[in-house]
Amino acid sequence: MITQEQLKQGAELKRILLEQAWSNPEFKSKLIAEPRKAISLMIGDNNSSIQSNKKIVVEDQTDKSIIYINIPFMPNLDELQKC
């Protein structure tokens, strides 16, 4: 189960990555091409502790003429009721 602290840390990392991508075209390109490597470099994690069993997809959604819809993982509500 994810803790509130982990949620805060994830939101903060996302904020930092977005700000860096918006202000640094080179970082943005690296984040799109090699997200795991770019994130590891950003957080100073040379051991790449980012979950290797998860795929990271970074898509440039800055084109104002396109509307993007993200369909997130559907939670198993039966499991939530057991908590």
Side-chain angles (χ1 to χ4, degrees):
M1 180 170 229
I2 297 176
T3 67
Q4 286 291 78
E5 184 59 30
Q6 289 170 319
L7 287 173
K8 287 180 188 177
Q9 289 172 349
E12 178 64 10
L13 175 59
K14 183 177 178 181
R15 184 191 64 75
I16 291 168
L17 291 170
L18 289 175
E19 286 180 359
Q20 186 68 15
W22 288 330
S23 65
N24 183 338
E26 186 178 318
F27 176 78
K28 178 180 173 181
S29 294
K30 185 176 286 187
L31 184 61
I32 293 168
E34 299 179 86
R36 190 174 311 280
K37 185 175 182 180
I39 294 168
S40 292
L41 290 171
M42 175 62 66
I43 63 175
D45 178 13
N46 296 329
N47 296 325
S48 191
S49 64
I50 301 169
Q51 292 181 340
S52 61
N53 65 336
K54 300 290 184 185
K55 180 178 180 181
I56 301 173
V57 176
V58 177
E59 185 174 350
D60 183 357
Q61 298 183 357
T62 57
D63 185 338
K64 292 179 181 180
S65 67
I66 300 173
I67 296 173
Y68 294 89
I69 298 173
N70 182 44
I71 302 172
F73 171 76
M74 184 175 165
N76 183 339
L77 298 179
D78 292 334
E79 288 182 7
L80 292 175
Q81 292 175 353
K82 293 177 186 177
C83 295

